[in-house]
Amino acid sequence: VQLQASGGGLVQAGGSLRLSCAASGSILSIYVMGWYRQAPGKQRELVATITSGSNTNYADSVKGRFTISRDNAKNTVYLQMNSLKPEDTAVYYCYVRGVATRGVMDYWGKGTLVTVSS
């Protein structure tokens, strides 16, 4: 299973970016898709997740600013990030929990860098 993320980049504070991540390969069904992030010198943290039933969960720090969505037909998850702050600067990792030939597995993308300048 491969996760291909895109959409990171450099943006000024107050700006917006949209991340996307497509899952491909031998995955039979997907339970949860989401995004985590890791800032320099910090641990990886949850940003947002969305289930196959479209139930969402957000970190308190991004509530009201970020929106997660998914296209089940395309096995793709999106993260719309608005009102970005310098503290949102991090490498963002796509995450998928799904059923593959070996059973329920967790998969991680390689990460895409988001830099928010003040």
Side-chain angles (χ1 to χ4, degrees):
V1 176
Q2 295 82 40
L3 302 182
Q4 182 65 47
S6 61
L10 173 65
V11 64
Q12 287 188 331
S16 299
L17 282 175
R18 187 188 194 216
L19 305 182
S20 63
C21 176
S24 62
S26 302
I27 191 161
L28 303 177
S29 64
I30 296 177
Y31 296 147
V32 180
M33 304 185 83
W35 296 91
Y36 285 69
R37 67 186 181 187
Q38 187 166 17
K42 295 187 177 181
Q43 291 188 332
R44 189 174 297 189
E45 63 176 5
L46 168 76
V47 177
T49 59
I50 184 168
T51 69
S52 57
S54 297
N55 293 314
T56 58
N57 181 45
Y58 293 93
D60 288 342
S61 60
V62 307
K63 284 181 181 177
R65 300 188 297 122
F66 291 10
T67 302
I68 190 169
S69 61
R70 65 189 278 178
D71 184 333
N72 291 329
K74 296 181 179 180
N75 285 345
T76 299
V77 61
Y78 305 96
L79 186 68
Q80 179 65 44
M81 305 185 292
N82 298 328
S83 302
L84 282 160
K85 304 175 181 180
E87 50 263 43
D88 294 317
T89 294
V91 177
Y92 284 69
Y93 295 91
C94 177
Y95 163 78
V96 165
R97 170 167 288 183
V99 179
T101 54
R102 292 182 291 174
V104 178
M105 302 287 290
D106 291 334
Y107 300 95
W108 293 91
K110 291 185 177 180
T112 184
L113 178 62
V114 172
T115 303
V116 184
S117 62
S118 58

